[in-house]
């Protein structure tokens, strides 16, 4: 793996473009002062891998729905009908997600770690910050696989055209509006959501932003804010959080979708993709596929493996277990009581200090942007964002 040291973006500049989460709680910089150097062929391999993986996820989700395996994936019961309704109608379009991958830059094959399909982070970093890293260092700004913003614009248009070709957007668009929401108190969530709002506006939609607590929901009439009815609502709020913490809202949303009063983005079926449990389904459907790691609901025998909760974030409650069953490392967290997946261990690319590099590939109708996170063997909320350059 090749790394290129660069001059870091100063905090004042980052704040001037809306990036306020540049410093971690321990005082260290969140944006690494380096780029991962990749070849055009490596970029193309990431692109092809994510496109193939997405098709596999669609087949796996269809299998889960047809065989009523929601409980096996840890899906809250009060979202099952909503998931089915969103899956059955093409108007519930998946706007974007992010695949986490091992390999691809170190001579090792690309392997799926997981798919953050519902509320993926690092969008702002991937779309804007790593482009700015090149510009600030007088490097070729086009020398990246980074079309995520343009891909988002096109995918918002597909909410209207419902097909790859978006040229008919203006012909079919009838003034529908998208309200974008995050939970108050998180600058990262708010500015990520506002970036998505900007893409939807550039696509041609009327848009606005409101914190989730300011929005009103009605079973029969839909979603309201600022005395307006909104045909689309994008929420940077995990579906499982709505199901568990806001069960009344989950029921209202179910009825809103049933009564065709609004469309929720990302759709509820993305929770099937988000659940780590679906990787066991993938392994059952595509055994020994070169992009997959062996995955099971039970510990793997005689193999080094990773134990991780179905529905968790930022490396919480993840353990690395040696082939003899001893625990090499584990993280604490709030997900200890949930269901767990056992996944074959895959080495991340490492630098001379032993830090691990995990590739993140954004997907919006197709693979559209690459970025990296640097951390220890378990990538957690103290990992650093690393840009890339194609050389």
């Amino acid at each position: 793996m090749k790394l290129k040291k660069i001059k870091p973006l100063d905090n004042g500049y980052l704040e001037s473009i809306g990036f306020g989460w540049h410093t971690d709680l321990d005082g260290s910089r969140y944006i690494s002062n380096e780029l991962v150097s990749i070849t055009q062929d490596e970029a193309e391999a990431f692109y092809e891998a994510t496109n193939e993986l997405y098709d596999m996820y669609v087949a796996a989700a269809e299998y889960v729905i047809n065989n009523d395996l929601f409980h096996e994936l840890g899906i809250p019961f009060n979202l099952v009908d909503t998931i089915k309704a969103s899956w059955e109608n093409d108007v519930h379009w998946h706007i974007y997600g992010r695949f986490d991958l091992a390999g691809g830059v170190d001579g090792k094959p690309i392997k799926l770690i997981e798919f953050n399909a519902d509320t993926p982070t690092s969008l702002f970093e991937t779309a804007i910050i790593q482009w700015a890293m090149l510009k600030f260092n007088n490097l070729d700004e086009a020398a990246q696989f980074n079309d995520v913003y343009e891909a988002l614009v096109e995918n918002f248009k597909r909410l209207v055209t419902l097909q790859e070709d978006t040229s008919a957007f203006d012909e079919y668009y009838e003034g529908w509006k998208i309200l974008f929401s995050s939970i108050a108190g998180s600058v990262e969530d708010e500015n990520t959501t506002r970036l998505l709002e900007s893409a939807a506006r550039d696509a041609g939609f009327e848009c606005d932003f409101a914190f989730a607590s300011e929005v009103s929901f009605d079973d029969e009439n839909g979603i309201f804010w600022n005395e307006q009815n909104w045909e689309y609502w994008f929420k940077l709020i995990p579906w499982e959080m709505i199901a568990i913490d806001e069960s009344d809202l989950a029921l209202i949303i179910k009825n809103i979708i049933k009564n065709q009063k609004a469309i929720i983005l990302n759709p509820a079926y993305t929770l099937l993709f988000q659940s780590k449990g679906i990787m066991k389904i993938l392994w059952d459907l595509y055994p020994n596929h070169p992009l997959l790691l062996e995955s099971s609901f039970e510990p793997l025998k005689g193999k080094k493996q990773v134990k991780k909760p179905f529905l968790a974030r930022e490396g919480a409650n993840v353990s690395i277990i040696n082939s003899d069953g001893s625990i090499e490392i584990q993280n604490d967290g709030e997900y200890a009581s949930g269901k767990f997946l056992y996944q074959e261990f895959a080495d991340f690319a490492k630098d001379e200090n032993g830090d691990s590099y995990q590739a993140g590939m954004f997907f919006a109708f197709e693979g559209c942007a690459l970025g990296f996170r640097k951390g220890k063997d378990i990538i957690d909320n103290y990992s650093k964002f690393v840009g890339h350059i194609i050389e």
Side-chain angles (χ1 to χ4, degrees):
M1 189 179 71
K2 294 171 58 181
L3 297 171
K4 179 188 287 289
K5 291 292 183 182
I6 58 170
K7 182 170 60 174
L9 300 169
D10 64 80
N11 291 347
Y13 171 77
L14 290 171
E15 291 171 4
S16 74
I17 60 173
F19 192 77
W21 56 102
H22 47 66
T23 303
D24 285 331
L25 294 176
D26 61 0
S28 61
R29 294 180 60 86
Y30 166 52
I31 304 297
S32 182
N33 62 335
E34 61 191 353
L35 301 170
V36 175
S37 175
I38 67 171
T39 66
Q40 187 63 50
D41 286 345
E42 288 170 334
E44 185 68 23
F46 279 118
Y47 170 76
E48 292 176 355
T50 50
N51 291 345
E52 183 173 358
L53 283 168
Y54 193 84
D55 289 343
M56 293 161 63
Y57 263 88
V58 170
E62 183 80 24
Y63 183 84
V64 169
I65 292 170
N66 289 342
N67 292 279
D68 197 25
L69 300 178
F70 298 97
H71 177 71
E72 284 81 351
L73 267 60
I75 303 300
F77 73 93
N78 57 348
L79 287 182
V80 170
D81 289 343
T82 306
I83 288 171
K84 289 180 178 178
S86 67
W87 185 259
E88 291 165 0
N89 193 330
D90 286 345
V91 299
H92 299 277
W93 198 265
H94 187 191
I95 295 298
Y96 80 122
R98 191 195 76 236
F99 286 98
D100 289 341
L101 307 163
V105 293
D106 52 359
K108 295 180 180 177
I110 295 170
K111 295 289 186 179
L112 171 70
I113 300 299
E114 58 196 47
F115 186 23
N116 301 277
D118 179 15
T119 55
T121 57
S122 75
L123 177 63
F124 199 108
E125 297 91 307
T126 302
I128 296 176
I129 300 302
Q130 66 172 344
W131 169 83
M133 293 163 80
L134 296 185
K135 183 177 179 64
F136 189 69
N137 283 273
N138 298 313
L139 297 168
D140 181 4
E141 299 161 31
Q144 284 185 346
F145 180 36
N146 189 6
D147 298 320
V148 63
Y149 189 83
E150 294 80 4
L152 287 169
V153 171
E154 288 300 297
N155 230 11
F156 276 114
K157 289 181 179 180
R158 293 187 182 100
L159 290 172
V160 174
T161 66
L162 298 180
Q163 56 186 340
E164 180 176 0
D165 183 1
T166 63
S167 60
F169 176 84
D170 291 337
E171 178 182 349
Y172 291 112
Y173 177 65
E174 297 183 6
W176 297 300
K177 305 180 295 295
I178 307 179
L179 180 64
F180 288 81
S181 294
S182 65
I183 295 175
S186 171
V187 174
E188 178 180 0
D189 285 1
E190 178 181 346
N191 284 2
T192 298
T193 306
R194 290 184 182 275
L195 178 63
L196 289 155
E197 177 192 355
S198 176
R201 187 174 288 108
D202 285 347
F205 282 92
E206 296 180 40
C207 305
D208 214 330
F209 175 90
F211 291 116
S213 59
E214 301 171 331
V215 183
S216 298
F217 303 87
D218 184 274
D219 300 67
E220 299 295 331
N221 298 301
I223 296 174
F224 293 86
W225 177 74
N226 197 24
E227 299 181 351
Q228 292 187 66
N229 179 238
W230 296 84
E231 291 87 1
Y232 296 90
W233 183 51
F234 180 95
K235 86 290 174 292
L236 200 70
I237 306 165
W239 274 105
E240 71 270 19
M241 183 181 295
I242 294 174
I244 296 169
D245 299 337
E246 301 288 345
S247 57
D248 289 344
L249 176 58
L251 177 60
I252 295 171
I253 287 176
K254 173 183 140 179
N255 291 330
I256 286 173
I257 292 175
K258 178 182 176 181
N259 295 325
Q260 299 185 20
K261 294 301 181 181
I263 295 168
I264 316 298
L265 307 169
N266 274 315
Y269 64 74
T270 58
L271 185 55
L272 297 180
F273 299 164
Q274 184 86 24
S275 170
K276 314 301 190 300
I278 201 170
M279 288 186 284
K280 190 267 187 185
I281 306 298
L282 285 168
W283 186 256
D284 289 344
L285 296 177
Y286 305 96
N288 300 305
H289 190 285
L291 293 172
L292 300 179
L293 297 165
E294 183 179 355
S295 298
S296 174
F297 296 155
E298 303 294 333
L300 303 174
K301 295 181 179 179
K303 288 189 176 182
K304 188 173 183 178
Q305 59 201 278
V306 178
K307 177 185 177 183
K308 50 189 176 182
F310 283 8
L311 296 171
R313 294 166 193 277
E314 298 181 327
N317 297 103
V318 172
S319 304
I320 296 177
I321 303 172
N322 293 313
S323 58
D324 63 2
S326 62
I327 296 176
E328 181 174 307
I329 187 173
Q330 62 182 353
N331 280 356
D332 293 329
E334 57 184 296
Y335 305 100
S337 61
K339 292 176 177 285
F340 283 84
L341 179 81
Y342 295 85
Q343 183 184 58
E344 182 182 357
F345 179 84
D347 275 313
F348 290 123
K350 286 184 167 54
D351 62 20
E352 59 186 11
N353 298 317
D355 288 327
S356 298
Y357 291 73
Q358 175 182 273
M361 268 290 297
F362 275 93
F363 187 94
F365 191 74
E366 61 182 348
C368 57
L370 177 65
F372 290 86
R373 295 172 74 192
K374 177 177 74 169
K376 302 305 179 184
D377 285 336
I378 298 176
I379 302 296
D380 57 23
N381 60 339
Y382 280 99
S383 65
K384 309 303 180 184
F385 180 81
V386 185
H388 76 283
I389 185 169
I390 297 175
E391 294 184 308

